[in-house]
Amino acid sequence: ILNVEQSPQSLHVQEGDSTNFTCSFPSSNFYALHWYRWETAKSPEALFVMTLNGDEKKKGRISATLNTKEGYSYLYIKGSQPEDSATYLCAFFFASGSRLTFGEGTQLTVNP
Amino acid sequence: EAQVTQNPRYLITVTGKKLTVTCSQNMNHEYMSWYRQDPGLGLRQIYYSMNVEVTDKGDVPEGYKVSRKEKRNFPLILESPSPNQTSLYFCASSFGSRPFNYGYTFGSGTRLTVV
């Protein structure tokens, strides 16, 4: 099983702060990277699907970048709000495999 | 509304008593998958299906069975549940024969306790 590592495991920020976290994955044989947002007592929801080196995706205050050559992706949240509190999962798919491998997630808490 | 429907949401059962968790999607997705979520371990794939009558093992298939007789349904069967199968289970689906280009749609989860 190829490892997907996310850091930090958890993060507490104040409302209005901007924040970012990291997803690291094996750089060889890359095919796709997904980001999901998982709120407590709900199911994960897809944020971004990224396939090309240098990809940048944005949805409102949330954006993500991808570096396939060095094997990492960053997720940024600008001006965090309490409703951004959730676990953010990344998942990696490599070209010769057949399934997404998920990281353990970064748990974000935004304090009002 | 486009969705993945799992049932039941909560289930407490006894060791050895066969059970089925149902999963149905209304989006005409080819790809469906089952995951389990355990503390400190992340989402781990149990089984997946690329299309009708096509299923394959994920990372943790032991103790589980699946079937894909219709495109919309992908039930998870525990023939003889054991306490180590106590977990939170998610069904997910995705569009197309190359689902990794598209985000997964997850069901609402089934919290299973085996005593």
Side-chain angles (χ1 to χ4, degrees), chain B residues 10-63:
Chain B
Y10 302 93
L11 179 62
I12 301 175
T13 190
V14 296
T15 299
K17 184 176 181 182
K18 180 180 178 179
L19 66 92
T20 299
V21 184
T22 63
C23 174
S24 180
Q25 51 91 6
N26 62 0
M27 297 166 283
N28 203 35
H29 283 172
E30 284 85 354
Y31 183 88
M32 298 186 75
S33 180
W34 277 101
Y35 284 86
R36 60 179 287 175
Q37 163 72 26
D38 301 291
L41 293 176
L43 283 166
R44 294 181 294 165
Q45 192 177 49
I46 303 169
Y47 270 94
Y48 64 97
S49 169
M50 299 291 281
N51 213 325
V52 176
E53 301 293 1
V54 179
T55 63
D56 211 343
K57 296 177 181 179
D59 298 317
V60 287
E62 294 77 21

Side-chain angles (χ1 to χ4, degrees), chain B residues 41-103:
Chain B
L41 293 176
L43 283 166
R44 294 181 294 165
Q45 192 177 49
I46 303 169
Y47 270 94
Y48 64 97
S49 169
M50 299 291 281
N51 213 325
V52 176
E53 301 293 1
V54 179
T55 63
D56 211 343
K57 296 177 181 179
D59 298 317
V60 287
E62 294 77 21
Y64 304 95
K65 286 174 60 176
V66 292
S67 67
R68 188 91 182 272
K69 296 177 183 174
E70 308 163 280
K71 197 171 190 178
R72 63 184 292 123
N73 294 324
F74 191 46
L76 180 70
I77 303 157
L78 285 72
E79 293 272 2
S80 182
S82 62
N84 64 11
Q85 292 178 298
T86 293
S87 188
L88 176 61
Y89 290 87
F90 284 103
C91 179
S93 72
S94 187
F95 177 75
S97 58
R98 306 196 73 177
F100 319 101
N101 284 334
Y102 305 92

Side-chain angles (χ1 to χ4, degrees), chain A residues 8-52:
Chain A
Q9 275 192 318
S10 64
L11 193 54
H12 291 252
V13 301
Q14 289 299 123
E15 182 174 356
D17 288 349
S18 292
T19 188
N20 66 85
F21 21 93
T22 306
C23 173
S24 301
F25 53 86
S27 57
S28 61
N29 228 3
F30 173 86
Y31 189 82
L33 188 98
H34 293 198
W35 280 102
Y36 291 84
R37 169 194 160 87
W38 188 5
E39 290 182 75
T40 302
K42 294 187 177 180
S43 50
E45 291 184 353
L47 284 172
F48 304 116
V49 175
M50 309 176 80
T51 57
L52 297 175

Side-chain angles (χ1 to χ4, degrees), chain A residues 19-94:
Chain A
T19 188
N20 66 85
F21 21 93
T22 306
C23 173
S24 301
F25 53 86
S27 57
S28 61
N29 228 3
F30 173 86
Y31 189 82
L33 188 98
H34 293 198
W35 280 102
Y36 291 84
R37 169 194 160 87
W38 188 5
E39 290 182 75
T40 302
K42 294 187 177 180
S43 50
E45 291 184 353
L47 284 172
F48 304 116
V49 175
M50 309 176 80
T51 57
L52 297 175
N53 185 45
D55 253 356
E56 291 189 27
K57 300 262 177 146
K58 187 174 181 182
K59 185 183 284 190
R61 293 179 291 98
I62 304 177
S63 60
T65 60
L66 178 66
N67 184 323
T68 61
K69 294 185 178 179
E70 296 181 37
Y72 65 84
S73 175
Y74 292 141
L75 190 79
Y76 300 91
I77 302 178
K78 185 177 177 182
S80 303
Q81 300 297 309
E83 58 264 31
D84 295 329
S85 297
T87 296
Y88 291 84
L89 298 172
C90 74
F92 164 79
F93 176 69
F94 63 104

